[in-house]
Amino acid sequence: MTRLFSQNHMMRTMGKHIFVNICKIPLLLLFLYMFICSLDILSSAFQLAGGKVAGDIFKDNAVLSNPVAGLVVGILVTVLVQSSSTSTSIVVSLVSSGLLDVGSAIPIIMGSNIGTSVTNTIVALMQAGEREEFKRAFAGATVHDCFNWLSVLVLLPLEAITGVMRLTSEAVVESFNIVTGEDGPELLKVITEPITKRIIQLDKNVIVGIATGQEVLRNKSLIKVWCHTYITTGLSDLAVGLILLASSLLVLCTCLLLLVKLLNSLLQGQVAKAIQKIINTDFPFPFGWLTGYLAILVGAGMTFVVQSSSVFTSAITPLIGIGVISIERAYPLTLGSNIGTTTTAILAALASPGDKLAAAFQVALCHFIFNILGILLWYPVPLSRLPIRMARFLGERTAKYRWFAVLYLILCFLLLPSIIFALSMAGWQILVGICVPCVAVLLCIVVVNRLQSQKPHLLPWWLQTWDHLPLWMHSLKPMDNIITRVTLCCRETRNNDQSRTSPEDLPQLTEYEAEKNFAPLAHNGPALIYGYETETGAVFDTLNGKSSRL
């Protein structure tokens, strides 16, 4: 009888657990939908805040003829507008109007590839609360950055010397009789536009017009619809952009946190292990090598469906953080995402008017060739998968020093591009004279670090360790100490304010509860004790008028 009762109880518990999990799935889809909508509005907010500035940057065609300057412009503009498709459409307009040749457009396309990867890196910051999750999420996000930077480091000089991408794309365009087609499918926008169109609609032709020198558009607003009204609100584009930026970031962070919590609750125990095994396991020998290429196809297909590499890579970042997807599997998915976003651009180019068709298709094709060459460089041979090792290093560093993530974003997407841009404007001799020694020193340090960890006996004694150097030259600890001191000062100030909490604000305990729970404090006879217990076991005792520890 008891056994039967136990089985019935177990069945009811299991049924209740399954029912609760099924009810969580609609919530998960709702939060995912809101997350994607907030990414769309975030992109619009960036375009409102920096779109005209981006148009002005593209306007200087003399600057864009410099490959390095073009690369940096592509990075900065894409970071400003948070949309590689927007920056690519500007480039297409410049090329088709004759203001920019395809050879000068290619470095800008490379830069837009780097700039678009900032979105999922920002999304990874939302998981900074848990150290191990943050380590995995940041590594999974920055593997995209590392791939793009390494590809540019090799392919930009190669393109400047040989023009391989320009010549290949030109041959393809000339060999096919390409005709104007219909717009490519925008499957995700059909779902998201009912909300996003009611909040904000932009006239992107204004940015393109400013870039192509149409000064009459400079005073025209980018806003077509703002909060479901065509009426002028009196607010500037910048003001509306900042409002949307703050609100979309708030929604994005909230949805991401709720998504992570729901995923953690759903993917527990045997379920999580089963999903991890399915996603991260390779095919049986001898077909194991095909698994990564299948992941590339999946990433390309999913990105084609959602029409945005930023949306796809940002959506898988929380899954990497909670351990469902390994970084080894996330890497080919990200590479596939790069391919998927270029196929979307090719379809969009094929929908261009007849006078812009050839230029639009060639620019989109250059983007596709760049990503294919990057994959051939950094994926087929396991030893060549440097982006994974680099991303792991960045993940470990950010897990140890969480502020490093913000430093990384500022350095890689703002400071470093700005410095390189300034040097390129000073002349290629100065650029080469400064950058080449810096890169050579950096490579030497990487090689020495590798030898120090694996084969120190091959190095002279003074290179077997960096301990003889000042600490700030080989460790982030001094900077961490400074940031920690500042943080502790802020915490002490807050704690001092909290320590002034009135006893009347604390829960009231009876004599019995006091003797049971806070016996060490109940030493003054029958009385009412006001107290609370914190995570550290500290208890505020009105009998003594101070905090005590159990």
Side-chain angles (χ1 to χ4, degrees):
M1 189 72 178
T2 305
R3 186 176 179 182
L4 183 62
F5 176 78
S6 177
Q7 288 178 347
N8 289 337
H9 178 71
M10 188 181 297
M11 292 284 289
R12 284 197 301 271
T13 305
M14 187 179 296
K16 182 180 178 182
H17 181 71
I18 293 172
F19 177 74
V20 169
N21 282 342
I22 291 174
C23 291
K24 287 178 181 178
I25 293 174
L27 276 177
L28 188 70
L29 295 175
L30 174 64
F31 292 142
L32 181 62
Y33 176 73
M34 295 303 296
F35 174 75
I36 294 170
C37 288
S38 65
L39 281 175
D40 194 350
I41 294 171
L42 182 69
S43 174
S44 298
F46 273 108
Q47 289 176 57
L48 278 173
K52 290 185 177 180
V53 176
D56 284 329
I57 293 173
F58 274 122
K59 186 180 174 182
D60 195 344
N61 300 317
V63 172
L64 299 181
S65 61
N66 181 332
V68 178
L71 172 74
V72 175
V73 165
I75 296 171
L76 294 176
V77 168
T78 308
V79 169
L80 276 174
V81 300
Q82 281 292 286
S83 171
S84 59
S85 59
T86 299
S87 53
T88 304
S89 65
I90 296 173
V91 173
V92 168
S93 297
L94 290 171
V95 172
S96 59
S97 61
L99 297 175
L100 193 68
D101 60 88
V102 174
S104 299
I106 291 173
I108 304 174
I109 297 298
M110 293 182 183
S112 70
N113 222 51
I114 293 174
T116 194
S117 62
V118 72
T119 308
N120 56 317
T121 309
I122 293 172
V123 168
L125 295 178
M126 304 303 117
Q127 291 179 265
E130 206 284 317
R131 197 175 294 273
E132 279 301 310
E133 281 189 14
F134 189 36
K135 173 183 173 180
R136 291 189 293 262
F138 197 79
T142 53
V143 74
H144 196 185
D145 308 342
C146 297
F147 169 79
N148 287 331
W149 279 107
L150 287 172
S151 298
V152 165
L153 194 63
V154 174
L155 296 177
L156 182 63
L158 181 66
E159 176 63 23
I161 295 168
T162 65
V164 59
M165 283 183 269
R166 176 180 58 82
L167 295 174
T168 304
S169 60
E170 189 175 325
V172 171
V173 170
E174 289 177 354
S175 62
F176 289 97
N177 183 23
I178 302 169
V179 295
T180 300
E182 296 181 357
D183 290 339
E186 296 189 346
L187 305 178
L188 187 70
K189 287 191 175 181
V190 172
I191 303 171
T192 59
E193 279 185 351
I195 286 184
T196 56
K197 270 194 169 183
R198 289 173 179 271
I199 297 173
I200 189 70
Q201 291 182 45
L202 301 183
D203 185 1
K204 295 181 182 179
N205 292 327
V206 174
I207 304 175
V208 177
I210 292 173
T212 53
Q214 300 177 37
E215 292 298 323
V216 69
L217 296 175
R218 183 169 297 279
N219 296 322
K220 184 179 178 181
S221 174
L222 283 166
I223 301 172
K224 288 200 295 188
V225 176
W226 160 236
C227 287
H228 201 46
T229 176
Y230 290 85
I231 302 172
T232 305
T233 61
L235 294 174
S236 65
D237 284 3
L238 179 60
V240 174
L242 293 176
I243 292 170
L244 288 176
L245 182 64
S247 56
S248 60
L249 279 174
L250 179 63
V251 174
L252 186 145
C253 296
T254 304
C255 290
L256 184 61
L257 291 172
L258 293 171
L259 273 172
V260 170
K261 286 189 177 295
L262 272 176
L263 286 169
N264 275 323
S265 65
L266 284 170
L267 304 177
Q268 290 181 18
Q270 296 302 318
V271 178
K273 290 179 182 177
I275 293 174
Q276 288 171 8
K277 190 173 181 180
I278 292 169
I279 294 176
N280 299 316
T281 302
D282 292 338
F283 290 140
F285 181 82
F287 304 107
W289 60 275
L290 287 172
T291 312
Y293 294 98
L294 178 63
I296 290 175
L297 291 176
V298 171
M302 291 298 293
T303 303
F304 180 79
V305 169
V306 301
Q307 296 282 293
S308 171
S309 60
S310 297
V311 169
F312 176 72
T313 53
S314 298
I316 67 171
T317 297
L319 296 175
I320 300 168
I322 64 176
V324 173
I325 301 177
S326 67
I327 188 171
E328 287 80 11
R329 186 64 71 241
Y331 180 51
L333 286 171
T334 301
L335 300 185
S337 177
N338 277 352
I339 298 295
T341 196
T342 58
T343 56
T344 302
I346 290 172
L347 286 175
L350 291 175
S352 301
D355 57 336
K356 294 184 179 181
L357 177 60
F361 184 67
Q362 188 174 356
V363 170
L365 203 57
C366 287
H367 197 184
F368 176 78
I369 294 169
F370 168 75
N371 283 299
I372 291 293
L373 292 177
I375 290 173
L376 293 176
L377 279 171
W378 308 115
Y379 188 75
V381 182
L383 287 176
S384 69
R385 295 170 189 173
L386 292 178
I388 294 179
R389 292 195 283 274
M390 292 171 65
R392 282 192 185 280
F393 171 79
L394 291 170
E396 290 168 0
R397 193 60 51 187
T398 49
K400 189 175 182 181
Y401 309 111
R402 299 189 193 190
W403 50 264
F404 180 79
V406 179
L407 177 66
Y408 168 84
L409 276 173
I410 296 171
L411 186 65
C412 283
F413 294 101
L414 289 176
L415 276 182
L416 186 60
S418 300
I419 291 170
I420 294 174
F421 181 78
L423 291 174
S424 67
M425 288 295 94
W428 69 268
Q429 298 91 341
I430 295 176
L431 177 67
V432 171
I434 293 177
C435 289
V436 170
C438 289
V439 172
V441 170
L442 186 62
L443 289 175
C444 288
I445 292 171
V446 170
V447 171
V448 170
N449 280 335
R450 192 76 175 170
L451 290 173
Q452 283 177 347
S453 61
Q454 294 188 352
K455 297 183 179 180
H457 61 277
L458 296 179
L459 296 170
W461 65 267
W462 52 277
L463 279 180
Q464 292 180 4
T465 177
W466 300 117
D467 291 343
H468 58 279
L469 295 175
L471 187 62
W472 61 269
M473 292 184 69
H474 62 93
S475 174
L476 293 173
K477 191 65 178 175
M479 188 180 295
D480 184 61
N481 290 337
I482 295 171
I483 294 173
T484 302
R485 287 194 192 100
V486 174
T487 307
L488 286 176
C489 288
C490 296
R491 284 182 180 176
E492 285 176 4
T493 304
R494 188 172 69 247
N495 290 339
N496 288 336
D497 293 337
Q498 290 177 350
S499 66
R500 299 189 187 95
T501 304
S502 171
E504 285 75 14
D505 296 331
L506 301 171
Q508 187 174 5
L509 303 179
T510 65
E511 179 184 356
Y512 172 75
E513 291 170 332
E515 289 177 354
K516 182 179 178 181
N517 298 313
F518 306 123
L521 302 177
H523 54 77
N524 287 346
L528 290 177
I529 296 177
Y530 295 85
Y532 68 96
E533 185 176 3
T534 66
E535 292 178 356
T536 58
V539 177
F540 187 89
D541 176 23
T542 56
L543 299 180
N544 296 325
K546 62 181 181 182
S547 292
S548 302
R549 195 177 292 270
L550 289 178

